[in-house]
Each structure stands twice: as structure tokens, then as C-alpha cells.
Amino acid sequence: MNKLLLYMFLTGLSSTALAQDYIPILNEENTWSVDIYYEIFEPVPPNPCCYTVTEQLTLGETITINGVDYKQMFIDGTASCYLREENGFVYKYDMYDEVDRVLIDMNLQEGDMFNLVGSAYDSTSPSCNSIDGTLEYNTLNVDVVEFVEIAGATRKVITFNEWAIGTGVPIQWIEGIGNLAGFDSFWEFIDVTAGQALVCFTNNSGTYFFNDASSCDNTTLGVTDFSQDKIILYPNPVNTKSILQFPIEANIDLLKIYNISGKLVKEVNVPTNHFIVDMMQYPAGLYFYQVFSKERLMKTTQIVVE
């Protein structure tokens, strides 16, 4: 009996030692920096073709709606959506249907599925979108759940087997921080944007960078780069093969191609100022290519395979 009691005591002690308090995402001390990558397919001069805008996300005062308390999200100082957090769930208030939508569920385990309400673009920001009345569900599948030391604490990390479209960033939720692919959940592809990613998180213990960022503001809006207009894929749509041409001054050295689901289907180093794109091995449909110069994203454009 004594051995049994000792075993139960040690087991309980071990479980208690391993347990930890949940770290809330919607902590007022937290701020987020999210890069939004813009791709205007037919830019009107003098507007640049492609640029990045980094949005600073903060939490403000508590707003009560129908007896429920929400945190007001601010984007670059402008009031945006209403959020609340309870029992590991982060909810966003849908102003159209006047109901809560689940953005994040930190209770998920490996093998679980999550039906995510697709976010549609609104005039405020793609970082914390309002749903425009059209609900599109995307099923995410949990691939890995682990506990990792991040930003000064051991945090639960949920990694899905889907990737954010156009960025090569996995859809990954981090306890106390949020979505690695931006603050909001699944980001829907839009004509004028080419992706988003969390680049900087700040709390009372310091500032932490994600997705290979080294700055909390990577905004390039207003920076003219004439060489981007000379990066051309022809013909497009593609029947068999097309040629992707680069200006010499662009110094393009890497090409990535994604399918419509955001999965990377090809990555190749580019040694010259052109590359033959062979799409015969891929099913017909919509794809996206990105070209890089010394790790800098230069252009993102659609490829249509017929």
C-alpha cells in the first residue's frame, strides 16, 4: 500500500510540475507587427507594382456588446475588430451576423480538424478582417502539437499541414502570440495582395522576430523599383512551357511556385536572366510564382495552367 501511495504521489507531483497556466493571446501588453505583401497586377504610374506595408496591431479598451466584453483591436492606431478569449478560444465578433467566430482554438491536439471561417477583404485591413456576410469554410488539419520555449516562456505550438497562400509560411498557432501567418486566421487570396506574415511580437519581456524578419517595420510603400515591371512570364496562360524573363539589374536568384492551396510545388535556384517554366507535370488550374533577389521578394504573379 505504501508503495502504491508513493507512486501516486510522485505521479501527481510530476503531472503538476509539467502543467502550466495558459498564456492568453489577448494580453494588453502584447503588440504584433504583420507584413502585408501587395501585388497590383496592373499598377497605374506612379504607383509601384509590388510593395510591403507593415501594420502595427495593439489592443485597446474593453467594449461591451450584448452583455459580453470584447477587446478592441487597433491597427496603426485605427479601431478595427472586436476580440475576446475564453478557455483557450479566441473569438472575433462578426458585426454582420452579430455572433462570435472562432479564430483560434488552442485546445486542439494532433489529428484534430478545425473548420475555419475564411476572412474576406474589407476596407479596414486584411490583418484583422471583418467577415462580409459570405462565409467560406476551410478545413485545417493539425499536423504537430508541441511545447516550445518561445518569447521567454514555454508555449503550446499547433502546426497545421496547410500553408498560408503566397508566403510559404505554415499556418501555425502559438500560445500567447497567435497565428504565425498574421494575426487573423486563414487569409483569403485577394487580387491586390500576395500574402501576410507575423514578423514581430512584443511583450513585457522584449521584442521577438518571426519568419526571418529583423525589423518590426518592413514597409516599402513609395519605393519605386522599375525592374519589377520587366519580370515577365510569356505565354500566360501556359499550355506546356513558358519563359520567365528577368532584367539583369533585378538579380533574380530564386523561383518558387505555389498551387492555389498555398502548397509549394517547385523551388529552384535561377542562374541566368531567364527560366523555362515547364507546367506539363501539374494539373490544370491556378498557380502563383514568386521570384526573389538575395532573399527579398521581388514579385508575385498568377500562373494559369490550361
Side-chain angles (χ1 to χ4, degrees):
M1 178 65 69
N2 290 337
K3 290 183 177 180
L4 177 59
L5 289 175
L6 178 60
Y7 172 79
M8 293 174 63
F9 172 78
L10 292 176
T11 302
L13 182 62
S14 176
S15 300
T16 302
L18 292 175
Q20 65 176 33
D21 293 335
Y22 173 76
I23 305 173
I25 294 173
L26 302 182
N27 193 319
E28 291 182 0
E29 69 184 28
N30 296 343
T31 62
W32 302 262
S33 301
V34 178
D35 276 0
I36 313 296
Y37 310 113
Y38 286 87
E39 166 76 23
I40 301 177
F41 297 121
E42 295 183 2
V44 178
N47 295 328
C49 163
C50 313
Y51 54 89
T52 299
V53 173
T54 305
E55 296 179 335
Q56 309 298 331
L57 281 61
T58 58
L59 294 172
E61 67 270 22
T62 299
I63 306 295
T64 302
I65 303 175
N66 297 328
V68 179
D69 290 340
Y70 296 85
K71 290 291 186 182
Q72 174 78 72
M73 171 67 77
F74 286 84
I75 299 176
D76 290 338
T78 301
S80 182
C81 55
Y82 303 116
L83 305 165
R84 71 181 182 91
E85 187 171 10
E86 184 179 0
N87 298 325
F89 290 89
V90 176
Y91 300 91
K92 180 172 66 176
Y93 180 69
D94 180 348
M95 67 182 69
Y96 296 93
D97 291 340
E98 298 184 344
V99 296
D100 286 341
R101 306 292 183 190
V102 178
L103 287 185
I104 292 175
D105 176 6
M106 290 305 302
N107 301 291
L108 295 179
Q109 300 298 327
E110 291 184 9
D112 288 348
M113 294 188 298
F114 182 74
N115 288 327
L116 182 69
V117 179
S119 295
Y121 182 82
D122 75 348
S123 59
T124 305
S125 167
S127 292
C128 197
N129 306 316
S130 296
I131 296 176
D132 66 354
T134 301
L135 302 182
E136 297 184 7
Y137 285 86
N138 303 275
T139 299
L140 303 181
N141 299 277
V142 178
D143 189 23
V144 177
V145 174
E146 54 191 338
F147 288 85
V148 183
E149 185 73 17
I150 300 174
T154 300
R155 303 173 187 264
K156 183 178 182 179
V157 178
I158 299 175
T159 303
F160 297 90
N161 60 5
E162 286 80 11
W163 294 65
I165 295 175
T167 64
V169 176
I171 299 177
Q172 188 176 69
W173 298 343
I174 303 175
E175 178 185 351
I177 295 177
N179 195 341
L180 195 65
F183 186 87
D184 206 339
S185 298
F186 191 84
W187 166 77
E188 196 169 278
F189 212 85
I190 310 159
D191 285 346
V192 297
T193 59
Q196 69 179 45
L198 176 68
V199 293
C200 187
F201 171 77
T202 301
N203 61 12
N204 61 3
S205 67
T207 297
Y208 305 89
F209 297 105
F210 295 88
N211 295 311
D212 299 322
S214 57
S215 172
C216 289
D217 190 349
N218 303 295
T219 299
T220 61
L221 181 60
V223 177
T224 302
D225 192 340
F226 67 90
S227 64
Q228 294 174 348
D229 294 332
K230 298 179 183 179
I231 301 173
I232 300 172
L233 177 70
Y234 183 82
N236 189 11
V238 182
N239 287 314
T240 55
K241 298 180 180 180
S242 288
I243 184 169
L244 185 58
Q245 296 180 320
F246 320 112
I248 295 177
E249 65 270 22
N251 295 315
I252 300 299
D253 53 19
L254 181 65
L255 166 68
K256 294 182 179 181
I257 298 177
Y258 300 86
N259 63 19
I260 187 61
S261 298
K263 181 180 180 180
L264 181 66
V265 298
K266 188 176 186 65
E267 179 175 347
V268 60
N269 294 322
V270 180
T272 63
N273 65 342
H274 69 277
F275 184 79
I276 302 299
V277 180
D278 183 358
M279 300 300 290
M280 293 182 65
Q281 56 186 309
Y282 304 111
L286 182 63
Y287 296 79
F288 301 90
Y289 77 79
Q290 293 182 328
V291 289
F292 296 80
S293 174
K294 297 180 180 179
E295 299 185 354
R296 177 191 175 192
L297 177 62
M298 296 296 292
K299 188 170 185 176
T300 301
T301 301
Q302 297 180 2
I303 303 177
V304 178
V305 178
E306 294 183 335

